[in-house]
Amino acid sequence: MHDDLIARARAWQTEDPDPETRDELGKLIDSGDLTELSARFSGTLQFGTAGLRGELGAGPMRMNRSVVIRAAAGLAAYLKSHGHGTDTGTVVIGYDARHKSADFARDTAAVMTGAGLKAVVLPRPLPTPVLAFAIRHLGAVAGVEVTASHNPPRDNGYKVYLGDGSQIVPPADAEIAAEIEAITTLHDVPRPDTGWETLDDTVLEAYLARTDAVLSPTSPRTARTVYTAMHGVGKDTLLAAFARAGFPAPTLVTEQADPDPDFPTVAFPNPEEPGAMDLAFAKARETDPDLIIANDPDADRCAAAVKDDGAWRMLRGDEVGALLAAHLVRRGATGVFAESIVSSSLLGRIAEKAHLPYEETLTGFKWIARVDGLRYGYEEALGYCVDPDGVRDKDGITAALLITELASVLKEEGRTLLDLLDDLAVEHGLHATDQLSVRVEDLSVIADAMRRLREHPPAELAGLPVTGAEDLTRGTDKLPPTDGLRYTLTGARVVVRPSGTEPKLKCYLEVVVPVATHTDLPSARAQAARTLAALKRDLSTAAGI
């Protein structure tokens, strides 16, 4: 076992094109650290519907140039097997500002070129939605975005789109994974030093021109904002979009405005994480804007915060999702409104009242963006697709424009985003959501919790009887199979699933409380808070977490 592990590590080191990870692996071999070597060589990072995502480092279980070259070669082989070549096979490549992102993008361009495909690379680190837009705009057969989104600084990732501009779904993921597995040595993967094209700003300008379309031509543009890019790549693109739209220039959270792959001011570069918005709140207390806007590091997510009873607070993703839906309905939008199963059922109520079609999908924009006739899609994790004809993915730039337009409309009426949320609660019932999220070091904790819930399903939660329990691994008449559980209760709903991108078990909770009048809102909110707290407590006990 020892000799075999060392032999595999040396063979990997011999092929590794990156001197940093080659040296890292050499030190592990020389030190005889079998525990760490075993962790690096216990398998390979699995390519799935989220592409690849993992910790940077040497070995097949880490994100590095060797793993990326294999992934790119597998994707190239898949594309060629589907009839794409030099004349018809453009692959557009984007990347964020994380450690190694530019290297991974360049390696991908080299592999595509060596495989006889046409590779084009975005001019610099740009938001993920620009890449998603570029695929359709350029008529590409595929796109790759090198990003780990809002993961910790030590991570990076590799997201794959096909020519429709949507992220891959089965069976494409398994077929690409099989092509990756078939690669036995990097020596068989041609990687020329030149031959691909680095784009100028023409594609970015086309994306920015498209952002104008999400706004009503006659809408007010008066809302004042504080903006944080969360050390990511969103700032320049968002500022350009806001300037084109005629909004007041956002006040920047300067400590987080420019790209920094170490994310020095936050524990996790995700607006949802505790403490991540503290600097934005401090800036808002100084400048008293109408709202705060935040992007995650690759700017495909958008967060909003408002002043509530004198203090600033984040709006939940479900709250922003409902606000944007109500705004689009008021503007006369037509088409399908869609969301994932973990998002609030309020969207369905809004769509039904407006006589608009509504669809529910599995988690992830790879599913939401594929809904036929989609006009608007959102997911509770701060993802909003407000221009599906331009970007078939979540887009934190256009979502920021739309929520700022709504804040401007309400401002002209002497109202706020919170006033509109109150109106929606009275009209449709108070839909209160929360999440029980457990980050783990040992993934077996998640597997054990899912098994425990399947073997011993709860009969009641928070004193409410469980009236329906679905094991989503079997799929439904409308949903393909996924590793998840859904419980229906009287006036409540719970969905439990492992995260697809982080070592987390996520439990999504919703409570619906009828509200007769605005004066009943405080008691309804208190009731909802009690029920959500009890759901968290009882579900935690049932899952053993």
Side-chain angles (χ1 to χ4, degrees):
M1 178 63 180
H2 168 272
D3 292 343
D4 177 64
L5 179 59
I6 295 297
R8 284 188 289 132
R10 290 196 186 281
W12 183 276
Q13 183 190 28
T14 300
E15 288 193 351
D16 191 340
D18 189 334
E20 288 185 26
T21 45
R22 216 167 42 235
D23 181 60
E24 176 188 332
L25 190 53
K27 290 177 179 176
L28 286 174
I29 293 170
D30 292 342
S31 70
D33 189 344
L34 298 183
T35 300
E36 184 62 22
L37 283 172
S38 295
R40 306 289 185 99
F41 287 85
S42 60
T44 59
L45 278 184
Q46 292 302 299
F47 186 94
T49 53
L52 293 168
R53 196 173 292 188
E55 185 177 347
L56 290 163
M61 286 296 289
R62 299 289 186 267
M63 281 296 296
N64 51 65
R65 291 181 61 195
S66 296
V67 165
V68 164
I69 289 166
R70 283 177 165 81
L75 174 59
Y78 168 85
L79 294 172
K80 294 183 75 172
S81 73
H82 283 70
H84 300 300
T86 306
D87 295 332
T88 61
T90 297
V91 179
V92 59
I93 301 154
Y95 58 104
D96 66 12
R98 284 178 177 266
H99 293 295
K100 298 290 184 180
S101 286
D103 294 336
F104 295 165
R106 186 169 53 251
D107 283 331
T108 301
V111 170
M112 296 301 163
T113 303
L117 295 157
K118 180 182 178 182
V120 297
V121 184
L122 295 185
R124 58 185 174 280
L126 287 168
T128 292
V130 177
L131 181 278
F133 167 82
I135 296 166
R136 289 164 57 80
H137 180 71
L138 298 174
V141 298
V144 171
E145 176 70 15
V146 180
T147 181
S149 190
H150 57 277
N151 275 41
R154 64 179 182 272
D155 289 358
N156 212 328
Y158 199 80
K159 185 184 293 187
V160 176
Y161 300 74
L162 293 182
D164 62 356
S166 299
Q167 297 174 52
I168 55 170
V169 294
D173 57 342
E175 293 172 11
I176 295 169
E179 296 285 5
I180 295 170
E181 283 292 314
I183 298 163
T184 56
T185 172
L186 293 189
H187 298 311
D188 295 337
V189 181
R191 301 194 310 279
D193 293 330
T194 60
W196 58 89
E197 177 185 358
T198 299
L199 298 170
D200 59 20
D201 279 349
T202 304
V203 167
L204 176 60
E205 289 299 324
Y207 168 81
L208 287 169
R210 179 84 201 182
T211 63
D212 297 344
V214 307
L215 302 175
S216 172
T218 59
S219 65
R221 312 286 166 91
T222 56
R224 295 170 49 252
T225 57
V226 160
Y227 171 70
T228 174
M230 206 63 68
H231 298 296
V233 299
K235 180 193 71 174
D236 291 344
T237 304
L238 182 132
L239 291 180
F242 269 54
R244 289 179 63 99
F247 288 113
T251 299
L252 298 179
V253 179
T254 54
E255 301 94 331
Q256 299 174 333
D258 295 321
D260 188 331
D262 293 320
F263 306 105
T265 68
V266 292
F268 294 97
N270 179 354
E272 293 181 296
E273 293 283 351
M277 294 290 288
D278 286 355
L279 288 172
F281 292 158
K283 182 63 70 174
R285 288 191 292 270
E286 292 175 16
T287 59
D288 196 30
D290 297 297
L291 76 161
I292 299 171
I293 296 291
N295 286 138
D296 67 339
D298 69 326
D300 63 349
R301 288 174 169 84
C302 175
V306 296
K307 189 183 284 188
D308 187 357
D309 199 22
W312 287 89
R313 77 164 177 92
M314 276 272 291
L315 293 174
R316 301 193 68 84
D318 284 318
E319 291 177 310
V320 175
L323 287 168
L324 293 179
H327 183 44
L328 290 171
V329 166
R330 182 175 177 179
R331 279 178 33 182
T334 59
V336 181
F337 280 32
E339 65 180 340
S340 65
I341 58 172
V342 300
S343 304
S344 172
S345 59
L346 177 55
L347 183 67
R349 304 276 183 94
I350 292 171
E352 181 182 21
K353 181 77 176 288
H355 305 292
L356 291 172
Y358 164 80
E359 293 287 341
E360 195 176 51
T361 74
L362 291 184
T363 308
F365 271 82
K366 58 184 176 284
W367 299 109
I368 295 171
R370 293 175 182 277
V371 170
D372 288 339
L374 181 68
R375 174 59 185 88
Y376 169 66
Y378 98 92
E379 188 158 69
E380 57 76 41
L382 310 182
Y384 314 95
C385 178
V386 302
D387 178 25
D389 290 339
V391 176
R392 291 192 178 178
D393 198 4
K394 55 187 177 294
D395 182 346
I397 305 298
T398 50
L401 288 171
L402 200 61
I403 194 68
T404 307
E405 178 186 60
L406 174 57
S408 298
V409 170
L410 293 167
K411 184 177 181 179
E412 295 299 299
E413 298 171 353
R415 287 157 43 81
T416 68
L417 296 172
L418 294 179
D419 292 327
L420 180 53
L421 284 172
D422 287 350
D423 292 348
L424 292 172
V426 173
E427 185 176 4
H428 302 288
L430 176 66
H431 289 63
T433 58
D434 203 352
Q435 188 179 130
L436 173 63
S437 181
V438 181
R439 186 181 293 271
V440 302
E441 294 292 333
D442 181 359
L443 291 177
S444 69
V445 173
I446 295 175
D448 290 344
M450 295 298 290
R451 182 174 63 251
R452 180 169 177 165
L453 288 171
R454 287 188 170 104
E455 293 177 354
H456 305 285
E460 69 171 34
L461 295 167
L464 303 173
V466 175
T467 57
E470 296 174 276
D471 186 343
L472 298 175
T473 53
R474 305 185 183 96
T476 71
D477 57 343
K478 292 187 176 182
L479 299 173
T482 189
D483 185 8
L485 298 163
R486 179 162 60 177
Y487 302 112
T488 304
L489 305 94
T490 303
R493 183 217 63 197
V494 173
V495 178
V496 184
R497 59 178 282 273
S499 170
T501 57
E502 298 178 270
K504 285 183 175 182
L505 180 68
K506 291 189 170 184
C507 309
Y508 304 84
L509 319 173
E510 180 177 42
V511 173
V512 182
V513 180
V515 182
T517 68
H518 282 76
T519 56
D520 297 316
L521 280 168
S523 61
R525 289 198 174 96
Q527 178 184 337
R530 289 192 299 270
T531 305
L532 286 170
L535 283 174
K536 277 188 177 183
R537 180 195 64 230
D538 293 355
L539 188 61
S540 180
T541 300
I545 54 177

